[in-house]
Amino acid sequence: MKDIILEVKNLSKRFTLHLLGEKMVPGFHKVSFTLKRGEFLGVTGKSGSGKSSLIKCIYRTYLPTEGEIIYYYKNGNSVDLATCSDKEIVDLRRERIGYVSQFFYTIPRISCLEIVSQALIQQGIDKNKAERKAKSMLSRFLIPENLFGAYPSTFSGGEKQRVNIAQAITRKIDLLLIDEPLASLDKKTKDIVLKEILKLKKRGTSVIGIFHDEKELRSFADRILVMENGKGIKIYENHN
Amino acid sequence: MKEPILKVEGLTKIYDSTIAVNSISFALYQGEILGIVGESGSGKSTLLGCLYFDITPTSGKAYLNKENRSIFELNSQEKRKLRNFNMGMVYQTPHLGLNFDITSGGNVAEKLLMANWRNYSDIRKRLTTLFERMELSLDRMDVPLSTLSGGMQQRIQIAKALANNPEVLFLDEPTSGLDLSVQARLLDLIKKIQQELKISTILVSHDLKVVRLLAERVLVMKEGRIVEAGLTDQILEDPQHPYTQLLVNSIL
C-alpha cells in the first residue's frame, strides 16, 4: 500500500432534510476509486452530478452516509476519514490535507499576506520564513505587492480565487482537494495557477481536482473520473 | 492537537425543577478553540460558569491537565488558585467581569495581584504589554473604566483574562452587543492572540458566524444537552440534527 494514499470504497452521500418532512436528497451513490501518491485525478461531469459532494465528503465537510475513505499515512498506518474522530480530521487538515473550495470565504480584517502565511505558521514554520514564502507565491500569482496588506473582501473574483489557492498550496501537504480552481480566471492566470498545482504534484502531493471541462483535464490529469447523476460512470487513464 | 487539556464528564446543573446542564461530556484539546453554540437558555453560559467555579454543579467531573482529581472536588482555596493562575474568563458584558469603581488598568492589575504579582513596576510593565496587545491606548490605563466605550471595556476584560497567562480561556459571548466593525476587530484580535499564545479556549456564542471564524470544532447545545458535535464546517454545511438544521437555516 506504499504507493497508495487514498482508497474510496462504495462511498455514498444522502442528505436528510428534517425541516422538510424528512425529505431525502441524493448526493452521490457508491463511488469507488483509489488514488496513488503523486497522482492527479481529475473529476468531471455536469453540475449537480455530485462532484463537489464527493470531495466535501473526503474533507469531511460532509458526513458520508455509507462507505469508506481509507487514508494511508506515509508510515503505512491508515485511518477511515468517513468515521474517524473530529480531532483526527483537524490534525490531518492542519498537517496533510488541503482543500480549496469553489467560493472564497474571506475573514474580516485579515490581510491576504496573513491568510497565506498563517497556513504555514500553523505547520510550525517561523513567521519571517512563512511571510517570505507567502509573498513569493502571491507574486507568482500576479497579486500586486501593494495589495499584500489589503483585505481580500475588496478584491476582484479572480484575485480572491488566487489568494484562496495560494493559501492551500504554499504549504507542503500530501493530499490536495480542489474544486474548480480555474473558474473565473483568465487564460494567463489560469496557466500560472495550473503550473503551481502541477509543481506541487511533482513534489509528491496527490491531487483530486474538479474541472467541468473534460478536454482541459486531458492536458494534465493522470486519470479522469466522470460523474453523472451521482454515479461514477467511468474512470480512465489519460495518456495525453 | 495533542492531549486533551480539559476533560468534562457528565456535568449536570439542576435548579429546582429545571435541568440547566444535562450530563454534558466533552474534551478540550491543547491549543484549540472549541465553539459551543445554541440559543439563549440552552445552558451554554451555565456550563462555562461551572467550569470557572462561578456556579456549583449538581454532579459531574472535570479534569484539568491529566490531574486525577476532578476540579470540583478541590477545596475552595485550591479552586481559587486554579482560577487565579490557570484560567481566564471573558463575560458577556463588561459589568459582569469588571469593577466599575476603579480604573481600567486597576481592573487588569487586580487579576495580577490575585495571581501573586507584588512588584509595582512589574505590574505596570505587564499592563503596558497587555494594553498594547489589545490595541488600547496607554493613556486609557489610569482613567475610570466607565469613560471607555463598550468595545474598549470588552478589550479590558480580555486583557484581564489573559493577564496571568492562563492555560484555559473561557469566552462567553465576547462580542455580542458590539457594533459590527468593533466586533470584527475584537474577533481578529482574539484569533491572533490565541494563535500566538496557543491558549486552549472555549468560545460560547449564539452566533454561528462568530464560531465559524474562530473554532475548528463545535458543540451544539439545546435544552441543556449536546445534540450534535462536529467540525465547524460540517456543522454548518451538513448539519445532522433537526435542531442544528434549524439553527443553520436561521443564519441571516
Side-chain angles (χ1 to χ4, degrees):
Chain A
M1 288 299 177
K2 249 196 158 152
D3 56 335
I4 286 179
I5 183 163
L6 204 66
E7 214 175 340
V8 174
K9 296 183 206 167
N10 289 319
L11 192 68
S12 302
K13 175 63 186 169
R14 288 184 298 276
F15 301 89
T16 309
L17 307 181
H18 297 292
L19 302 181
L20 297 173
E22 311 299 306
K23 189 179 173 191
M24 290 272 256
V25 177
F28 58 88
H29 189 65
K30 296 219 167 177
V31 173
S32 301
F33 63 86
T34 55
L35 183 71
K36 294 196 201 83
R37 281 191 197 282
E39 184 181 30
F40 193 125
L41 176 71
V43 181
T44 192
K46 290 193 189 111
S47 37
S49 59
K51 310 184 295 289
S52 296
S53 296
L54 174 65
I55 68 169
K56 281 188 179 181
C57 276
I58 296 170
Y59 197 59
R60 254 276 277 282
T61 294
Y62 289 171
L63 279 176
T65 310
E66 56 199 24
E68 291 171 75
I69 308 164
I70 310 296
Y71 176 90
Y72 293 94
Y73 288 92
K74 278 188 179 136
N75 65 11
N77 291 348
S78 67
V79 57
D80 184 355
L81 304 182
T83 54
C84 70
S85 71
D86 296 327
K87 176 196 180 289
E88 249 177 313
I89 298 282
V90 170
D91 287 338
L92 280 165
R93 286 179 176 188
R94 285 186 188 172
E95 300 293 329
R96 300 171 196 280
I97 303 180
Y99 168 63
V100 184
S101 64
Q102 230 167 327
F103 308 102
F104 183 35
Y105 184 75
T106 53
I107 307 158
R109 283 222 333 151
I110 305 234
S111 71
C112 80
L113 181 63
E114 282 175 280
I115 290 174
V116 178
S117 58
Q118 265 175 15
L120 294 161
I121 292 168
Q122 195 155 57
Q123 279 192 325
I125 294 169
D126 80 53
K127 196 169 171 237
N128 290 328
K129 195 175 169 197
E131 281 188 1
R132 243 190 355 260
K133 283 188 147 194
K135 278 182 188 163
S136 132
M137 182 62 83
L138 288 167
S139 301
R140 266 176 282 161
F141 275 3
L142 305 180
I143 302 289
E145 211 174 319
N146 58 6
L147 289 186
F148 286 2
Y151 310 142
S153 50
T154 57
F155 287 15
S156 75
E159 285 165 343
K160 275 185 194 164
Q161 188 160 14
R162 278 175 276 151
V163 174
N164 196 15
I165 296 167
Q167 116 180 286
I169 72 171
T170 307
R171 60 194 192 125
K172 212 177 157 305
I173 46 175
D174 295 333
L175 174 62
L176 174 67
L177 309 166
I178 194 160
D179 196 345
E180 297 281 11
L182 307 182
S184 79
L185 297 181
D186 57 36
K187 175 79 178 78
K188 188 178 166 197
T189 44
K190 233 183 212 186
D191 290 344
I192 293 169
V193 168
L194 192 59
K195 203 177 104 194
E196 292 298 330
I197 296 173
L198 292 176
K199 247 197 235 171
L200 201 68
K201 169 187 137 65
K202 216 172 257 167
R203 289 200 299 258
T205 301
S206 311
V207 184
I208 302 179
I210 297 177
F211 295 80
H212 64 271
D213 188 348
E214 191 172 347
K215 217 164 67 201
E216 193 174 40
L217 259 183
R218 284 204 203 110
S219 62
F220 52 81
D222 297 313
R223 264 188 317 154
I224 296 171
L225 169 68
V226 185
M227 293 192 65
E228 200 179 293
N229 287 328
K231 287 193 184 111
I233 53 164
K234 73 177 167 184
I235 183 161
Y236 64 93
E237 297 279 338
N238 178 32
H239 303 291
N240 288 325
Chain B
M1 298 194 290
K2 289 168 230 148
E3 297 293 313
I5 186 161
L6 180 69
K7 266 172 81 175
V8 175
E9 289 173 8
L11 186 65
T12 300
K13 175 66 187 175
I14 303 173
Y15 291 107
D16 297 330
S17 56
T18 7
I19 307 178
V21 174
N22 194 344
S23 193
I24 295 275
S25 302
F26 67 90
L28 172 70
Y29 288 91
Q30 204 112 45
E32 79 164 332
I33 301 184
L34 175 69
I36 301 182
V37 296
E39 60 200 6
S40 21
S42 59
K44 315 182 296 285
S45 298
T46 309
L47 172 64
L48 275 199
C50 289
L51 295 173
Y52 196 58
F53 306 119
D54 283 338
I55 298 167
T56 310
T58 309
S59 61
K61 295 184 161 66
Y63 302 94
L64 190 67
N65 266 333
K66 287 191 200 161
E67 290 286 333
N68 46 25
R69 200 150 59 108
S70 162
I71 59 171
F72 302 129
E73 288 165 23
L74 304 175
N75 65 37
S76 59
Q77 195 191 347
E78 291 170 317
K79 281 181 185 165
R80 208 174 312 127
K81 195 171 163 219
L82 211 54
R83 188 171 140 129
N84 290 340
F85 286 84
N86 305 67
M87 297 175 172
M89 170 73 123
V90 174
Y91 294 91
Q92 195 164 354
T93 66
H95 282 275
L96 290 169
L98 299 174
N99 179 350
F100 276 70
D101 296 332
I102 56 175
T103 62
S104 58
N107 269 282
V108 182
E110 205 175 40
K111 181 93 183 180
L112 291 170
L113 290 170
M114 286 191 291
N116 286 346
W117 287 54
R118 289 290 175 262
N119 182 301
Y120 179 77
S121 73
D122 287 349
I123 292 176
R124 282 307 275 196
K125 240 188 265 166
R126 179 74 183 146
L127 288 185
T128 306
T129 312
L130 288 163
F131 268 60
E132 280 168 353
R133 208 52 265 256
M134 297 315 296
E135 301 174 12
L136 285 159
S137 138
L138 294 180
D139 54 25
R140 297 296 187 133
M141 203 185 277
D142 299 313
V143 301
L145 188 63
S146 50
T147 61
L148 268 57
S149 72
M152 286 183 207
Q153 288 171 358
Q154 227 24 5
R155 276 181 274 153
I156 296 287
Q157 266 215 89
I158 299 177
K160 181 180 175 184
L162 293 173
N164 57 349
N165 276 323
E167 291 175 287
V168 187
L169 179 63
F170 302 122
L171 303 172
D172 190 1
E173 306 269 13
T175 61
S176 60
L178 299 173
D179 293 340
L180 272 185
S181 62
V182 180
Q183 188 177 356
R185 187 174 177 192
L186 202 59
L187 290 174
D188 168 35
L189 209 54
I190 292 171
K191 189 165 183 119
K192 279 194 184 137
I193 288 169
Q194 201 276 340
Q195 262 176 2
E196 217 167 280
L197 306 177
K198 303 254 182 300
I199 304 173
S200 315
T201 302
I202 300 181
L203 166 71
V204 159
S205 178
H206 66 281
D207 190 343
L208 278 166
K209 282 183 287 187
V210 168
V211 170
R212 163 172 234 159
L213 281 179
L214 297 177
E216 282 167 298
R217 294 193 309 132
V218 57
L219 313 175
V220 182
M221 280 186 72
K222 183 181 194 286
E223 290 163 5
R225 290 181 185 276
I226 296 174
V227 294
E228 185 166 354
L231 298 155
T232 308
D233 52 322
Q234 180 256 304
I235 293 288
L236 283 159
E237 294 195 38
D238 188 20
Q240 305 293 306
H241 191 275
Y243 175 70
T244 318
Q245 293 191 355
L246 180 70
L247 208 62
V248 168
N249 279 295
S250 310
I251 300 178
L252 293 177

